Amino acid sequence: MSSISHDPVAHGHDHGHDEHAHRPGGIMRWITTTNHKDIGTLYLWFSFTMFIVGGLMALTIRAELFQPGLQIVHPEFFNQMTSLHGLIMVFGAIMPAAVGFANWMIPLQIGAPDMAFARMNNWSFWLLPPAAIMLVASLFVPGGSVAAGWTMYPPLTIQNGMGMDFTIFAIHIMGASSIMGSINIITTILNLRAPGMTLMKMPLFCWTWLITAYLLIAVMPVLAGAVTMLLTDRHFGTSFFNAAGGGDPVLFQHIFWFFGHPEVYIIIMPAFGLVSEIIPVYSRKPLFGYASMVYAVAGIAILSFIVWAHHMFTVGMPTAGQLFYMYATMLIAVPTGVKVFNWLATMWRGSITFETPMLFALGFLFMFTIGGFTGLVLAIVPVDIQLHDTYYVVAHFHYVMVAGSLFAFFGAVYHWIPKWTGTMYDEKLGRWHFWLSLVFFNVAFFPMHFAGLAGMPRRIPDYATQFTDWNMLSSIGAFGFGLSQLVFLYAVLKCIRGDGAKAPAKPWEGATTLEWTVPSPAPYHTFETPPVVK
């Protein structure tokens, strides 16, 4: 990535405008805001709230699985918890967090005054809370919430009660929000870059989001189509997925995973971008192989469309199909390997320091690699047929999605919170948060590999006594991981209260991107005069 210089005249001009920014105060500031920073903050708080809600559901699951037998919840409620936990974490926590970072940082990093469609940006966010309320409220309607897993496979979802309709409408609303947000991000990046900032000079985070936004626009309508067909099967007499009427439940799996596999990359690619911002700064070196990183992300995005059926090796696919999807899946290891190699090469002979953001980036690198390798194992058809729907799969995708996205998000919060609040975070608290999260995450999820290899199925509230030890360990780890996040909350609240050292405009020695050229906290209106990028 090219280093960027900034016009100091423009910089002073921005700060001057902040002192007479016209905006409503109190609650109306947040409801009516069109400012990208306010909307970014709303997204991040919404995401953290949903992370807590989804996390409490995960802890209910782990409390029930602490020992064999049924102790705490009924099996029906257990199934609803597993399904809602997945839906809330994917659509309510991880995706909105990534959009929050995009809102806050993309205009700052490309030297734009705001997002391209500021009013639509406000709408994109305010669609989310009603959708989230609808999802959680589905627990309290007759028949309870969806109890067929986050994948919502028919025929179970055709038979579910009214909670399923709540879920379908919530997904539609969240999908509309995602598409509006994506259009905004693409338009902003393509049209509002500062003079001199070519696409290949953009920070890698903006690149990963540009590609992610295209992916979202391509696949969200596919999911919307699938759940709409489910809705018409439920209420309007169609039989797309109903075998009794001539339909095919496997058709739903094809449509769902055509959305669902790129969705994994929609979740992980912004995290790639964040880590690519953090590692060069704390290694005090430019990102190694910037162009190859861009091409690798684009390659992963394209490949993600042709591997969906590796989720369906057990549905009765022809051998030729299994072989195609197996090799196509393995091919994704090539661009992913390029990225991991480039991160390591960036650190090679750098002047590395281990502040909290760097610790989280390294934690991401270590655990995402474990998740990637276990993914390769699952790509092998005969192995996948053995391990399908076991806890091995649960361990694999939590290593990718939790250790992958969440660790990158935590690192990015610590990296940019001085810019957001004007206050340095408490380094000691940050380190405690990292080490507790790392240890307890591994205690929670690493034993699941062994439980899965031994044959423990997922989505069951009770199990054979041979799995007791692994489950006890996992439950202890899950509660520890959950409680560790209180340290994070405390560290963030301390910064917001201004309890800490005052942050300079550029707190990190190796930082070169545009956001570090404006004061901390960033003024309400930035870059009214575009900075000059050389």
Side-chain angles (χ1 to χ4, degrees), residues 344-361:
L344 293 176
T346 306
M347 286 185 273
W348 176 253
R349 296 194 170 173
S351 303
I352 305 178
T353 47
F354 295 96
E355 288 93 344
T356 309
M358 186 63 169
L359 289 176
F360 271 106

Side-chain angles (χ1 to χ4, degrees), residues 13 175 241 417 455 508 530:
H13 183 77
F241 311 125
I417 206 164
W508 314 120

Side-chain angles (χ1 to χ4, degrees), residues 60-90:
T60 310
I61 295 166
R62 286 313 324 172
E64 177 57 53
L65 292 176
F66 185 72
Q67 53 185 355
L70 297 173
Q71 288 93 26
I72 298 174
V73 293
H74 292 295
E76 297 84 0
F77 189 73
F78 182 91
N79 282 343
Q80 291 170 22
M81 286 286 104
T82 53
S83 311
L84 267 190
H85 164 72
L87 285 167
I88 285 177
M89 284 304 196
V90 170

